[in-house]
Amino acid sequence: MKKQKKDWFRIKGYPHIGLPIKPKDILWVKKYAKTSSKVAKHSFLPFIHREIVKRKFRKEYDESGIKTNNGKGVGRNKIRDIYYANHFDANIYSYYSSLLSSSYEKRLFERNLCNTVTAYRKIPLKPSDINSRNMCNIDFANEIFEFIRKKTNQDLVAITFDITSYFDNLDHYILKKYWGKVIKKEQLPSDHYNVFKNITKFSYVEEIDLFNEFKKEIITETKTGIRTKKNIKNISLLKKKRAIAYCEKKMFKTRIVNNGYLKSNKYNNKKELRKKGIPQGSPISAVLANLYLLDFDTKINDYLSKNDGIYRRYSDDMVVVCNINMKNKIISLFHKQIEKYKLDIQPKKTQVFHFIKNKEKHICYNETQNGTLLQTKRFEYLGFEFDGEFTYLKSSSLAGYYRKMKKGINRSTFFAKHTKDKTSKNELFIKRLYKKYSYIGANRRRIFKKDIHNPGKWIETHKYDWGNYITYAKLAENSMNKNKIGGQIKNHWKILNELIKKKQKELEPKE
């Protein structure tokens, strides 16, 4: 049975400005998005801005490549700015994303780049199989590692580059140029231009400001479809209270909006239009991030292909593997070319690994900032490590999984102690923990929901429970050549049960 191709249209679940789209509205919303004259005059609502803070634990090294802080990971906060479009606007962006993606795929084919740009695209693992899954970071990393393995007759160098704040630094003039180049138009049609204008000179409202403005009358909807306005005291309760909108569109107050201008000087009110940056989180941002470097990817890929090397770009993460004698020329080429797009490469994140041939395999050495070659680190790419022969899960990724496991058990213990439900007092809900952190919950399965019209019956949904970290690790183990991933996760069951037993003792009634 052939897999059904997903449509560009989506019904969003998050609360925003204005009421959400109902299933009965799908046809006219689709018709509106496809009518260029309407899109050309469409007035887009502001995005909602939210900061996502993620704590990153990184091992730090000095210039000579020696671990500092006893080799322990240093915790630092990584902040990502995410912007959510109004439900109606999101589908317009989504439609134009599908148009651009279709044209972009043609340009990639024309330039022999179909396997070069890997992020935000659907690339079948087995093109001849209509039911093949799409490739993911596991397959992209495996391709690079396998390329190194097969070059046993020469010494190689693998270089990873990272672009500084990529989405925030996309130049609007250059973006407009490549938008037109992809759709083969010297001047953007009026509908495309309106979408371009609103994704570059975008306005937004802070999520907390919007909540504070309307928290006494947030629009909610019951399972049976009844809509009411509620006073919600905390923004974290929006999902629990089934919030569907902060307010109706006509009630929105523009005074809390940040528009498409930037203050040029904090000491005066002089303003200038934003000239670079697009919002992360919009349905169209991913394809724009890809097409922006169309000529860059072409030039770099052509050069590496002619010189028996390989180049791949996953959004702002770029990797090159080539003969060791080309190292300095490649680094110089990348810096020189990326400047043409008003972007910078982060020097501290540029990593160089030497793969020196030794009989039928390579030995991996990392090059320190002062040029010394050491065997203190494995080559890291897209969440995996490679030592020249075997592939491993990235150690920080594995450590993050165990931190989440411990945190989840601690959280479960806290609620077991403080619940008001006497029947579940001091109960740890072990099955839930097994499902979340062990092989027991690793199998992908279809999600069913209760049929509100027929009590006792369940309806099959189009959604899946995608499993947990062990699902990902097992897929990597089964997909990647010559790996030791199974050995890395074999103790997860023992560690999980030891942590559970320890907490169960804390919950036992004291005599």
Side-chain angles (χ1 to χ4, degrees), residues 65 352-354 364-368 372-377:
V352 181
F353 292 84
H354 295 245
C364 178
Y365 298 87
N366 66 292
E367 183 180 312
T368 65
T372 307
L373 295 184
L374 299 173
Q375 282 186 273
T376 55
K377 290 173 65 179

Side-chain angles (χ1 to χ4, degrees), residues 47 82-85 90 93-94 97 167 199 278-288:
F47 286 88
I82 302 296
Y83 298 84
Y84 300 88
Y93 287 129
S94 185
S97 174
F167 284 84
I199 203 66
I278 60 172
Q280 284 194 66
S282 82
I284 201 172
S285 295
V287 66
L288 297 181

